[in-house]
Amino acid sequence: MRKLGATAFLAGALCLSGCSAGSLGSSDDAAAGKTPITFLTNNDPSNVKVAEAMIAAFEAENADVDVKLDTRPQGSEGDNLVKTRLATGDMADVFEYNSGSLLQAIAPQTNLTPVTGEAWVGDLDTVFKQVVTVNSEVYGSPWGPAVGGGIFYNKPLYTKLGLQVPKTWADFMANNAKIKAAGVAPVQQTYSESWTSQVLVLADFHNVAAAVPAFADDYTANKAKYATTPAAQAGFQHLEELEKAGYWNSDYASAKYNDGLAAVATGKAGHYPMITFGVPALDTAAPDNVDDVGFFALPGTDASKNGVTLWEPSGIYIPKSTEGDKLAAAKKFQAFVASADGCTAYGSAAPVGGPFVVKSCTLPADVAPAVKDLSAYVDAGQASPALEFLSPIKGPALEQITVEVGSGIRSAADAAKLYDEDVKKQAQQLGIQGW
């Protein structure tokens, strides 16, 4: 949901702004007979912890390679650093960056080493492979698990009321009616943190793609609109329908994200539309109730096409500037990240909020039930990437628009039209053809 933008830096200042002061690695590699390589990733503290664990596990299996960890800023500053280092041939030997539509921003055909023929590529989940492929060439291995958008639900409440996980929107609304009759808020909303209001629209994309398979391409080419595509407008209609039915928590305007997690975990609310990156946060919001939270995909109109919208992990890539022994070492590291041992290393350093996108990887035994629920959709092939992985266009005002719909201020039809205008401005700023 958050993507990188762009700014400008001088090439000579790159390492000063992008490299960590305490990088891992040794200056005695040549004397020790090791091949030194650098790995560049973002400087989020939890991500650095994962990177350090990954490097340690890799080096334990590959004593002939020494990996130095470099970090870059997050957001537009880090995005620019990646682009500039690629343009100047000064990129790290292997690096982490966006998958999906924004991968195109760094011109993979020009700047990256394709890995289509590598053995580990066959072990990648089909959906992830799609978002690191450009013109039939695969370029990246996955950095962590995928996460899914849909509905967190309170399992004890479902058991008490005899409810079944819904596969259609009508069934979901019927469940909400029974939950309200039991004196519980059917659906939690948390508009004090407005980004959370977008989930009912963004997580509905699997249903959009199932109904209109060409929507992402046509949307990017300015041939399809939210206002004129019923399946795409449905997400806004869901917000309007739930608000009109009085299914929100009474404090929806002031409640925060952690309030929402706690409410669904403790049974104060029946449902909370969210992305499963929220699973690790349940440990803080409601540590005694993590196992009381389940997950299901946002239901559409056709139960036979029920499936989940996925936010895929970023990718690990090798620039074309990496050559010789360093290329061989970088390929070993890239392959390790996409292995069962790599997944184990990742899981040892960070809570897992979704399934790994490497088929040979297994979830930790103690993973939360909501993650197991999400994994079942992925294992069954009932998943689609979120629209932002297929199109670079996402209007910046979406969260304000969805708050208005969810608050009863704006109609769904009006919101779809307004969002189409918001998208138009962004597409023109990006210089996308057809706008």
Side-chain angles (χ1 to χ4, degrees):
M1 294 167 64
R2 291 176 294 175
K3 287 296 182 182
L4 302 176
T7 55
F9 273 109
L10 293 174
L14 289 173
C15 195
L16 292 176
S17 61
C19 301
S20 62
S23 296
L24 299 181
S26 169
S27 61
D28 299 326
D29 294 324
K34 296 182 178 182
T35 301
I37 60 171
T38 55
F39 170 48
L40 179 68
T41 188
N42 75 79
N43 64 3
D44 176 77
S46 60
N47 184 62
V48 170
K49 183 179 178 182
V50 170
E52 290 172 344
M54 189 72 70
I55 289 171
F58 171 76
E59 291 182 340
E61 293 188 17
N62 296 271
D64 58 337
V65 181
D66 187 62
V67 183
K68 173 186 173 184
L69 176 62
D70 286 350
T71 60
R72 59 170 174 80
Q74 301 174 71
S76 59
E77 185 180 352
D79 186 56
N80 172 75
L81 188 145
V82 168
K83 292 174 181 176
T84 307
R85 290 187 69 167
L86 284 170
T88 60
D90 189 38
M91 177 48 78
D93 300 302
V94 58
F95 68 100
E96 173 256 335
Y97 190 70
N98 295 308
S99 60
S101 62
L102 292 187
L103 175 58
Q104 306 262 6
I106 59 172
Q109 305 97 308
T110 301
N111 292 316
L112 304 184
T113 299
V115 291
T116 313
E118 298 295 325
W120 55 266
V121 171
D123 200 28
L124 295 179
D125 172 74
T126 302
V127 179
F128 177 76
K129 190 185 298 184
Q130 178 184 354
V131 301
V132 290
T133 297
V134 178
N135 293 341
S136 300
E137 293 282 12
V138 178
Y139 288 96
S141 63
W143 187 239
V147 293
I151 307 290
F152 284 154
Y153 73 99
N154 184 268
K155 295 173 66 177
L157 182 63
Y158 259 56
T159 299
K160 178 182 177 181
L161 299 180
L163 304 180
Q164 300 295 315
V165 169
K167 291 188 176 180
T168 67
W169 184 256
D171 290 342
F172 178 58
M173 291 300 285
N175 283 359
N176 286 326
K178 293 176 182 177
I179 292 170
K180 185 175 182 179
V184 176
V187 183
Q188 182 80 12
Q189 291 288 269
T190 51
Y191 292 172
S192 179
E193 296 185 59
S194 59
W195 66 266
T196 64
S197 69
Q198 305 172 86
V199 175
L200 282 167
V201 173
L202 298 178
D204 198 43
F205 187 70
H206 173 84
N207 297 318
V208 178
V212 189
F215 181 81
D217 289 339
D218 289 345
Y219 170 75
T220 305
N222 198 20
K223 296 178 181 178
K225 302 289 184 183
Y226 274 83
T228 56
T229 307
Q233 191 179 137
F236 293 104
Q237 291 171 341
H238 294 337
L239 275 164
E240 182 177 53
E241 186 176 354
L242 289 164
E243 190 277 331
K244 285 184 174 179
Y247 285 162
W248 297 153
N249 47 301
S250 60
D251 62 343
Y252 72 90
S254 60
K256 297 183 177 181
Y257 169 57
N258 278 341
D259 297 330
L261 294 174
V264 73
T266 59
K268 292 181 180 178
H271 306 107
Y272 185 33
M274 189 40 59
I275 299 172
T276 60
F277 56 54
V279 171
L282 285 167
D283 280 321
T284 300
D288 296 330
N289 302 94
V290 174
D291 289 347
D292 290 337
V293 179
F295 172 85
F296 57 81
L298 194 66
T301 57
D302 187 345
S304 69
K305 295 181 179 179
N306 182 240
V308 69
T309 300
L310 289 180
W311 274 259
E312 296 292 328
S314 57
I316 301 299
Y317 308 101
I318 301 173
K320 286 187 176 178
S321 56
T322 303
E323 299 175 334
D325 290 344
K326 288 180 177 289
L327 175 59
K331 283 189 173 184
K332 284 184 180 180
F333 183 77
Q334 188 182 42
F336 180 82
V337 170
S339 71
D341 288 344
C343 293
T344 299
Y346 190 101
S348 72
V352 177
F356 291 107
V357 295
V358 177
K359 297 173 186 176
S360 59
C361 293
T362 56
L363 289 169
D366 60 350
V367 75
V371 175
K372 293 179 181 177
D373 293 341
L374 170 60
S375 185
Y377 289 101
V378 176
D379 292 345
Q382 299 169 335
S384 302
L387 179 58
E388 66 191 65
F389 291 90
L390 305 176
S391 172
I393 304 170
K394 180 178 181 289
L398 179 60
E399 63 190 72
Q400 285 78 34
I401 296 170
T402 48
V403 164
E404 290 181 348
V405 179
S407 301
I409 297 170
R410 186 181 297 276
S411 71
D414 235 17
K417 291 177 183 177
L418 183 60
Y419 187 54
D420 284 335
E421 286 301 309
D422 187 41
V423 160
K424 179 180 179 180
K425 296 174 186 175
Q426 197 220 27
Q428 290 174 340
Q429 289 173 353
L430 292 173
I432 297 175
Q433 190 172 359
W435 292 83

